[in-house]
């Protein structure tokens, strides 16, 4: 079991000196623990952020006898990695009290980007949740506070035994009711006062409530953890984040449905237009985006006489059928005449080829004696040349 306390300091060196002097075990994240003072200072000077808060202080305390100093220090280092991974951190484990506890010192300035560490009431809850998770992972117990949500004093227990409700319980009931009915922290405070007459006062990190029948205020932390200012603000912030996420989801869903409705409308218009202009060719089936949007708007505004459109489409279809039949008939006639012409041309080509063959044969007959004479002359000339040599 580990409890968490959160603080800060404007003099980091003093805090480190105190924690280091009494430590049984020490370790560091992003720096050696023995050089924490010098390295913290160097980082702050490097980024030019030496004024104001210099370090943040987390005290992590464990149940007596549950962990050793080494185990406690390991837990502190793991917690530092969870909550301050971009900062230099020194973890010092003390055993000078009945319970073992860690002093976790976080440099206010990040060595990586120069950003300052943020520490608030909300961050305390975040660190507590991380510490509890680490305890459970290691088989350690966590704080279970029946008094964390509601804290009762002895007088209130006496009233409860007699079946009576205290004025503090009445305030708790009003707070519980209005935190469910209100949409924001400001609306919650207004409703508590306007509807139930309970005065609300804020001072620093505290919130106080005054019952209409009482003369004094009671702080929220006296009523219980659930009624502290930090808890109330944290709960409303989480609820607002959840609602924003739902709104974004619904918006995306509406846009998606809107696109579907538009596309269906576009398809409906596209069919009507394309059928009405079928005779102009297939290219008219493709519509530009601008024309589709224009037709979609017009179709939503004007009333369409579908019976008249059907009649026009029927007349156009009949006209198209007659045109197709006439076209096929013309093609048949033209095809017959063309066929006759082709056959006539083919016959003429055959006759011409036959005449060419006959002419070639007659020419060959006439030239045959001439070729024989030429061969004889060539032979005689060759013999005479041989005798001369």
């Amino acid at each position: 079991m580990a409890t968490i306390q959160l603080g800060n300091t404007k003099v980091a060196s003093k805090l480190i000196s105190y924690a280091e002097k009494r430590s049984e075990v020490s370790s560091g994240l992003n720096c050696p623990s023995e050089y924490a003072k010098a390295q913290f200072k160097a980082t702050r000077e490097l980024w030019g952020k030496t004024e104001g808060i210099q370090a943040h202080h987390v005290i992590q305390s464990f149940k007596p006898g549950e962990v050793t100093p080494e185990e406690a220090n390991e837990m502190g280092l793991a917690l530092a990695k969870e909550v301050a991974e971009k900062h230099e951190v020194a973890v010092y484990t003390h055993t000078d009290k009945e319970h073992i506890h860690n002093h976790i010192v976080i440099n206010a300035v990040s060595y990586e980007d120069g950003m300052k560490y943020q520490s608030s009431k909300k961050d305390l809850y975040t660190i507590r949740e991380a510490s509890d998770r680490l305890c459970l992972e290691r088989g350690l117990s966590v704080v279970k506070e029946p008094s964390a949500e509601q804290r009762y004093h002895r007088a209130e227990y006496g009233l409860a035994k007699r079946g009576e409700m205290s004025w503090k319980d009445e305030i708790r009931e009003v707070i519980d009711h209005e935190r469910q009915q209100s949409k924001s922290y400001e609306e919650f405070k207004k409703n508590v006062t306007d509807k139930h007459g309970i005065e609300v006062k804020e001072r620093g990190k505290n919130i106080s409530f005054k019952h209409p029948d009482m003369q004094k205020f009671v702080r929220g932390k006296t009523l219980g953890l659930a009624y502290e200012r930090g808890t109330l603000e944290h709960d409303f912030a989480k609820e607002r984040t959840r609602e924003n996420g739902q709104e974004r989801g619904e918006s995306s869903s509406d846009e998606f449905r809107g696109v579907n409705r538009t596309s269906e409308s576009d398809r409906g218009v596209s069919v009507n237009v394309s059928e009405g202009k079928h005779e102009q060719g297939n290219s008219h089936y493709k519509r530009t985006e601008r024309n589709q949007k224009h037709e979609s708007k017009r179709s939503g505004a004007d009333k369409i006489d579908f019976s008249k459109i059907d009649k026009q489409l029927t007349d156009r279809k009949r006209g198209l059928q007659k045109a197709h039949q006439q076209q096929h008939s013309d093609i048949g006639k033209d095809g017959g005449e063309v066929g006759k012409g082709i056959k006539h041309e083919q016959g003429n080509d055959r006759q011409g080829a036959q005449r060419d063959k006959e002419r070639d044969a007659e020419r060959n007959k006439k030239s045959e004696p001439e070729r024989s004479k030429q061969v004889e002359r060539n032979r005689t000339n060759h013999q005479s040349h041989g005798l001369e040599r």
Side-chain angles (χ1 to χ4, degrees):
M1 177 182 72
T3 60
I4 297 293
Q5 291 176 285
L6 186 62
N8 53 60
T9 179
K10 292 184 178 181
V11 187
S13 58
K14 287 186 178 180
L15 174 60
I16 294 173
S17 295
Y18 164 79
E20 188 176 31
K21 184 177 180 180
R22 293 173 172 79
S23 66
E24 181 80 17
V25 184
S26 64
S27 60
L29 172 66
N30 301 318
C31 78
S33 59
E34 55 268 26
Y35 300 114
K37 273 194 229 178
Q39 194 159 330
F40 280 26
K41 182 180 179 181
T43 298
R44 293 194 301 271
E45 290 178 347
L46 176 66
W47 292 99
K49 297 182 178 181
T50 58
E51 302 297 327
I53 295 173
Q54 294 184 350
H56 294 269
H57 186 200
V58 178
I59 301 176
Q60 184 185 32
S61 303
F62 299 91
K63 184 179 179 180
E66 193 169 48
V67 294
T68 64
E70 291 74 18
E71 291 172 340
N73 190 266
E74 181 188 345
M75 285 278 293
L77 188 60
L79 181 61
K81 292 177 181 178
E82 289 266 345
V83 301
E85 61 176 348
K86 294 183 179 180
H87 292 256
E88 294 146 326
V89 185
V91 182
Y92 304 98
T93 303
H94 289 192
T95 58
D96 55 342
K97 292 186 179 180
E98 177 179 60
H99 58 279
I100 295 175
H101 58 280
N102 290 323
H103 289 271
I104 304 172
V105 185
I106 304 171
N107 194 5
V109 180
S110 168
Y111 73 93
E112 187 173 288
D113 53 19
M115 298 296 290
K116 298 204 76 173
Y117 189 82
Q118 300 300 315
S119 175
S120 66
K121 195 84 169 180
K122 295 179 183 178
D123 297 304
L124 173 60
Y125 298 128
T126 302
I127 295 172
R128 282 178 180 173
E129 290 174 0
S131 178
D132 287 347
R133 187 178 71 255
L134 292 170
C135 286
L136 290 173
E137 289 175 357
R138 288 161 174 76
L140 304 178
S141 60
V142 296
V143 176
K144 298 200 179 285
E145 305 175 88
S147 59
E149 294 295 325
Q150 297 180 348
R151 297 190 180 101
Y152 290 92
H153 293 284
R154 184 175 297 178
E156 292 183 86
Y157 280 116
L159 290 173
K161 286 181 179 180
R162 295 195 298 271
E164 299 177 14
M165 180 179 288
S166 68
W167 61 274
K168 290 181 182 178
D169 266 334
E170 291 179 357
I171 292 178
R172 291 188 186 100
E173 283 199 352
V174 169
I175 293 173
D176 291 340
H177 174 73
E178 290 302 334
R179 77 198 302 177
Q180 299 296 327
Q181 301 299 318
S182 305
K183 296 182 179 179
S184 67
Y185 178 63
E186 296 300 325
E187 183 182 344
F188 159 78
K189 291 188 295 182
K190 187 175 184 301
N191 290 342
V192 168
T193 301
D194 294 348
K195 294 181 180 180
H196 308 279
I198 296 176
E199 293 183 39
V200 179
K201 180 177 68 175
E202 291 177 315
R203 185 176 181 180
K205 298 181 179 180
N206 296 312
I207 186 171
S208 301
F209 304 91
K210 182 182 176 184
H211 193 279
D213 298 335
M214 303 302 294
Q215 300 298 318
K216 62 179 180 179
F217 282 85
V218 59
R219 283 189 175 183
K221 67 178 184 179
T222 303
L223 300 175
L225 176 62
Y227 307 98
E228 293 182 7
R229 180 176 180 177
T231 305
L232 294 170
E233 289 178 334
H234 183 65
D235 289 346
F236 280 110
K238 286 199 303 184
E239 181 66 20
R240 185 166 59 252
T241 302
R242 186 181 66 82
E243 289 177 355
N244 290 339
Q246 288 181 347
E247 288 176 1
R248 284 195 295 272
E250 290 173 0
S251 175
S252 300
S253 179
D254 288 342
E255 289 177 3
F256 178 74
R257 289 195 295 269
V259 168
N260 285 343
R261 288 195 295 270
T262 302
S263 63
E264 290 171 2
S265 175
D266 289 345
R267 285 197 295 270
V269 173
S270 177
V271 169
N272 291 338
V273 173
S274 62
E275 289 181 355
K277 297 183 179 181
H278 183 275
E279 64 238 3
Q280 296 183 7
N282 292 334
S283 62
H284 290 277
Y285 280 100
K286 297 181 180 180
R287 307 297 305 273
T288 63
E289 185 177 356
R290 173 190 282 178
N291 291 337
Q292 287 181 349
K293 291 180 179 178
H294 174 71
E295 292 291 341
S296 178
K297 292 178 181 177
R298 190 177 64 183
S299 64
D302 300 336
K303 293 182 178 180
I304 300 175
D305 188 350
F306 290 101
S307 60
K308 185 177 180 180
I309 292 176
D310 290 339
K311 185 176 182 303
Q312 290 176 353
L313 292 176
T314 303
D315 292 341
R316 287 193 179 96
K317 288 179 181 178
R318 289 175 181 173
L320 287 172
Q321 289 176 354
K322 290 181 180 180
H324 286 312
Q325 291 175 358
Q326 182 65 33
Q327 186 176 4
H328 285 302
S329 175
D330 293 342
I331 290 172
K333 292 178 181 179
D334 294 341
E337 293 177 358
V338 171
K340 291 178 181 180
I342 291 172
K343 289 180 180 179
H344 178 70
E345 290 178 0
Q346 288 176 348
N348 292 338
D349 290 342
R350 291 194 195 98
Q351 292 176 1
Q354 184 64 30
R355 285 196 297 270
D356 292 340
K357 286 181 180 180
E358 291 175 356
R359 282 197 296 270
D360 292 340
E362 186 176 353
R363 191 182 299 113
N364 290 335
K365 287 180 182 180
K366 291 179 180 179
S367 61
E368 183 65 29
E370 292 293 332
R371 282 199 296 273
S372 300
K373 290 179 182 180
Q374 183 64 36
V375 169
E376 185 63 28
R377 283 195 296 270
N378 291 338
R379 187 182 298 115
T380 303
N381 291 334
H382 180 71
Q383 289 176 355
S384 61
H385 285 301
L387 292 174
E388 289 178 359
R389 290 194 188 105

